Amino acid sequence: MGFMLRVLFVGISLATAVVFKQYRNLTAPMPVPDLNMKQYWGPGDVKQYREDTSIKPFKVSYDAAVIEKLRGKLTDVPKLTPPLDGVAFEYGFNTNRLQDILKYWRTTYLDKWSEREKFLNKFPHFQTQIQGLNIHYIHVKPKVPAGTKVLPLLLLHGWPGSVREFYDIIPLLTTSSKDKDFVFEVIVPSLPGYGWSQGSAKKGLSPSEVAIVMKNLMSRVGFEQFYIQGGDWGSLIGNYIATYFQSNVLGVHLNMCSIMTPLSYPKMFLAALKPSLFIDEQYTDFYFPLSAKFANIIEETGYMHIQSTKPDTIGTVLQGNPVGLAAYILEKFSTWTNPAYRNLPDGGLEKYFSLDALLDNVMIYYLTDSITTSQRIYAEAFASDELKKEIDRIPTAVPAACAKFRHELFQQIDWVLKDHFTNLVQSNHFEDGGHFAAMQLPEVLYKDFVAFIASIQK
């Protein structure tokens, strides 16, 4: 019996050692890997590529024939299936509401397209070539008295958004005001494959590779050190820039903060047992119960499964199809702003957004034929090569802030986030707001961002 106990003890000890070693291997911090800063994403052979480092002014401009062709498509709309009795947006975009929007788009909006085009051009636009791709960006330099502290800022959008999301917050950031003793010089790129930025011709342009493109863009425009603000893909890409280039990023502020490590989900499940041990009780329902949160994620991420597996199929369905494009994109601006808007016949779209603003964003996708290339980032993000990088296991000491809006699609508690963001200096909850914070609540996001910058400036 003693011998058997000894064998059992040794066996348990060995098994524990193996498990602990595996656990330690899975959770140990990882170093920043060697990066290929010149990976070529353009068409053809890289051997024939000579990068044009010049920066060229860009203007949003389309011939009248393009607009009239769109008007024709919006006039010759197929018969839309009416919604079920008593159904609002629960089955997707309500076609009665869609008919109203299409009419407004075809008449009022397109009748004043010259005004909308002028509005889109209100900030200076540019293009430059980075790693084989023509990258579009807005660059706004503040007009302030000499001696004013000017801080460089990279603003990053996501899907199905665009640079249009930032049009209301840019003036706040670039104008002197009593609430700050600094202003920002703002660079707002269209992500590769979005809007007027060229899409990759090669497989593999994942969020971590886009981070390298964005870092190279900031170097191109003259900034080796800068701040970052981003949401959606902009949040993930901003995180990766702050992870890969820690000496270059002065601070990173994100809405939709999340990480993926071997401990992130176990920690969330553990915190769910007794949330008050980990967060202020008044914010419990931002994260829990997990069952309700996961149910909402499942309901709202059908698009993601399609785009991460068959982006070109759904892209082909939507490209050149303004009716389908509007329904597909605007549905997200409804339910991702507040899931309760599923129960409203109008989708709550105009509670925070004007139809002009929403259609500006749709027009960017339509006019640039970028819906397919914008969706490919999902396939690249979930590719095995990208997931194997486990970037969130690389700690970043860059000062970080998370703005948590009540109706954001996904939230993680700070106890989880601090495994990666080791210098999380600000984490604020907001009782209103959803996924498109910069466009929905620009002043709220602005104030939170300025408070973060002011704290680390000190």
Side-chain angles (χ1 to χ4, degrees):
M1 179 67 73
F3 174 77
M4 292 301 296
L5 286 174
R6 185 175 180 183
V7 170
L8 181 62
F9 176 77
V10 171
I12 292 173
S13 298
L14 289 172
T16 302
V18 169
V19 170
F20 180 76
K21 184 177 180 181
Q22 287 299 106
Y23 169 82
R24 188 171 58 186
N25 289 340
L26 285 172
T27 58
M30 294 172 58
V32 176
D34 292 332
L35 303 173
N36 183 354
M37 300 297 292
K38 297 182 178 180
Q39 179 68 45
Y40 179 69
W41 301 108
D45 191 341
V46 65
K47 294 178 182 178
Q48 300 173 352
Y49 173 64
R50 296 293 181 273
E51 187 155 288
D52 181 357
T53 60
S54 65
I55 294 173
K56 299 179 174 65
F58 177 85
K59 187 175 183 180
V60 179
S61 179
Y62 291 89
D63 293 339
V66 173
I67 303 305
E68 289 311 307
K69 183 177 181 179
L70 170 58
R71 195 192 302 271
K73 289 183 177 183
L74 293 171
T75 301
D76 186 21
V77 174
K79 180 176 172 56
L80 301 180
T81 302
L84 296 170
D85 291 347
V87 170
F89 270 59
E90 296 95 336
Y91 278 54
F93 209 100
N94 184 293
T95 49
N96 290 337
R97 175 63 168 145
L98 183 59
Q99 294 277 20
D100 294 338
I101 291 174
L102 295 178
K103 181 181 178 181
Y104 180 88
W105 192 3
R106 182 180 69 249
T107 56
T108 305
Y109 183 89
L110 289 186
D111 285 349
K112 59 180 180 183
W113 170 244
S114 60
E115 294 177 25
R116 300 317 301 164
E117 204 170 52
K118 183 178 180 181
F119 175 83
L120 291 172
N121 284 307
K122 69 183 291 186
F123 304 119
H125 293 244
F126 302 90
Q127 276 190 338
T128 191
Q129 197 173 61
I130 306 281
Q131 296 174 248
L133 303 177
N134 291 322
I135 300 298
H136 159 265
Y137 64 97
I138 291 169
H139 189 169
V140 183
K141 298 180 180 181
K143 296 179 180 179
V144 291
T148 304
K149 187 185 298 182
V150 178
L151 309 175
L153 171 62
L154 174 65
L155 290 178
L156 296 169
H157 68 81
W159 188 93
S162 66
V163 295
R164 177 61 180 86
E165 292 182 66
F166 297 110
Y167 269 55
D168 290 333
I169 200 172
I170 289 173
L172 300 175
L173 294 164
T174 57
T175 304
S176 296
S177 57
K178 294 180 180 179
D179 62 345
K180 60 184 186 296
D181 60 0
F182 48 82
V183 292
F184 297 94
E185 184 170 338
V186 178
I187 294 88
V188 192
S190 294
L191 297 179
Y194 286 72
W196 300 284
S197 281
Q198 185 179 355
S200 176
K202 310 283 192 289
K203 286 180 65 176
L205 186 55
S206 61
S208 64
E209 295 292 343
V210 173
I212 295 172
V213 175
M214 294 295 100
K215 166 59 176 66
N216 283 335
L217 173 64
M218 292 303 285
S219 295
R220 177 69 52 80
V221 298
F223 296 114
E224 291 302 329
Q225 290 190 308
F226 51 91
Y227 295 90
I228 298 173
Q229 201 293 315
D232 192 82
W233 285 121
S235 178
L236 187 65
I237 293 164
N239 169 14
Y240 289 172
I241 300 172
T243 302
Y244 281 168
F245 308 102
Q246 299 190 32
S247 63
N248 301 99
V249 179
L250 300 169
V252 58
H253 181 283
L254 308 173
N255 48 297
M256 202 180 89
C257 286
S258 67
I259 65 169
M260 187 167 63
T261 69
L263 284 181
S264 56
Y265 291 105
K267 277 190 166 185
M268 284 296 290
F269 285 118
L270 182 61
L273 299 176
K274 188 68 174 176
S276 61
L277 295 177
F278 302 93
I279 53 170
D280 191 315
E281 288 190 27
Q282 65 178 312
Y283 302 125
T284 298
D285 58 349
F286 276 66
Y287 312 94
F288 306 107
L290 289 179
S291 57
K293 301 303 178 184
F294 285 141
N296 184 63
I297 288 172
I298 290 171
E299 188 166 359
E300 287 298 329
T301 54
Y303 81 97
M304 185 172 67
H305 296 286
I306 296 174
Q307 292 173 195
S308 62
T309 55
K310 310 290 183 182
D312 287 24
T313 299
I314 186 62
T316 300
V317 171
L318 299 173
Q319 194 160 321
N321 173 10
V323 178
L325 192 66
Y328 197 69
I329 289 177
L330 295 183
E331 178 214 295
K332 310 307 181 203
F333 280 84
S334 168
T335 54
W336 291 3
T337 298
N338 188 331
Y341 292 171
R342 296 187 196 112
N343 305 315
L344 301 178
D346 66 355
L349 283 167
E350 291 181 88
K351 287 185 177 294
Y352 292 97
F353 312 115
S354 69
L355 281 184
D356 285 349
L358 292 170
L359 289 172
D360 286 345
N361 185 64
V362 175
M363 284 289 279
I364 290 173
Y365 281 88
Y366 175 82
L367 292 170
T368 61
D369 286 328
S370 61
I371 189 62
T372 300
T373 52
S374 74
Q375 292 172 155
R376 286 176 178 164
I377 194 173
Y378 287 83
E380 305 299 354
F382 289 98
S384 59
D385 286 347
E386 179 77 350
L387 295 176
K388 287 176 185 175
K389 295 177 182 178
E390 297 188 277
I391 301 169
D392 288 331
R393 286 180 60 190
I394 307 169
T396 177
V398 171
C402 292
K404 301 178 178 184
F405 293 89
R406 172 165 289 283
H407 303 298
E408 182 56 270
L409 289 169
F410 182 69
Q411 312 268 18
Q412 285 180 324
I413 59 177
D414 292 351
W415 184 49
V416 171
L417 296 171
K418 287 179 179 179
D419 285 348
H420 172 68
F421 297 104
T422 60
N423 192 12
L424 184 62
V425 299
Q426 179 175 298
S427 179
N428 290 327
H429 297 77
F430 298 95
E431 290 299 329
D432 196 5
H435 190 67
F436 304 99
M439 194 168 173
Q440 180 192 1
L441 299 170
E443 292 191 2
V444 175
L445 185 67
Y446 161 78
K447 289 178 181 178
D448 193 70
F449 178 67
V450 165
F452 166 62
I453 299 301
S455 70
I456 61 178
Q457 281 284 304
K458 292 178 181 178

